[in-house]
Amino acid sequence: MPYSSSLTDEEWRILEPLLPQILPPKKQTRPPNWTKREILDGIFYQLKNGCNWEDLPKDLPPYSTVYWHYKQWRAEGVLDKLMSILHAQVREQVKKKPNGQPCSSSTLKR
């Protein structure tokens, strides 16, 4: 069941290719029960609603799984890296350099 905090298909198409670059390597002992998208949906649900981790809806991954990933990713700086990459992409789309300067050499008209 999608929530207002759930990733849309379009948002997922943007995020999915970035994850292998920024997620910390994890020793794979068995196939995962939950996709990265489901984990992110759980994290976004908690962050948007401010609920206790234990109060995540039952159709999302178990709160312990979501919270474990959140802690690991936060400690590794994954969320910050993801935000930096997305911020740079948006600035590029609006023709600005990452440091805040316009990409073109044109001057602003006053």
Side-chain angles (χ1 to χ4, degrees), residues 27-66:
K27 184 176 163 184
Q28 196 71 347
T29 56
R30 62 184 170 94
N33 293 332
W34 303 96
T35 66
K36 299 292 188 251
R37 184 177 184 172
E38 291 168 318
I39 301 287
L40 282 169
D41 281 345
I43 291 170
F44 293 151
Y45 182 92
Q46 193 282 333
L47 293 174
K48 180 178 190 245
N49 293 294
C51 65
N52 293 324
W53 289 100
E54 296 87 356
D55 294 335
L56 289 179
K58 300 301 178 208
D59 58 336
L60 291 172
Y63 79 87
S64 58
T65 301
V66 175

Side-chain angles (χ1 to χ4, degrees), residues 77-91:
V78 169
L79 302 176
D80 291 332
K81 290 174 194 171
L82 186 58
M83 288 301 297
S84 293
I85 292 169
L86 293 173
H87 182 255
Q89 288 179 356
V90 168
R91 290 195 61 82

Side-chain angles (χ1 to χ4, degrees), residues 6-13 37 41:
S6 297
L7 291 167
T8 64
D9 290 340
E10 184 179 344
E11 291 167 337
W12 181 241
R13 279 192 292 276
R37 184 177 184 172
D41 281 345

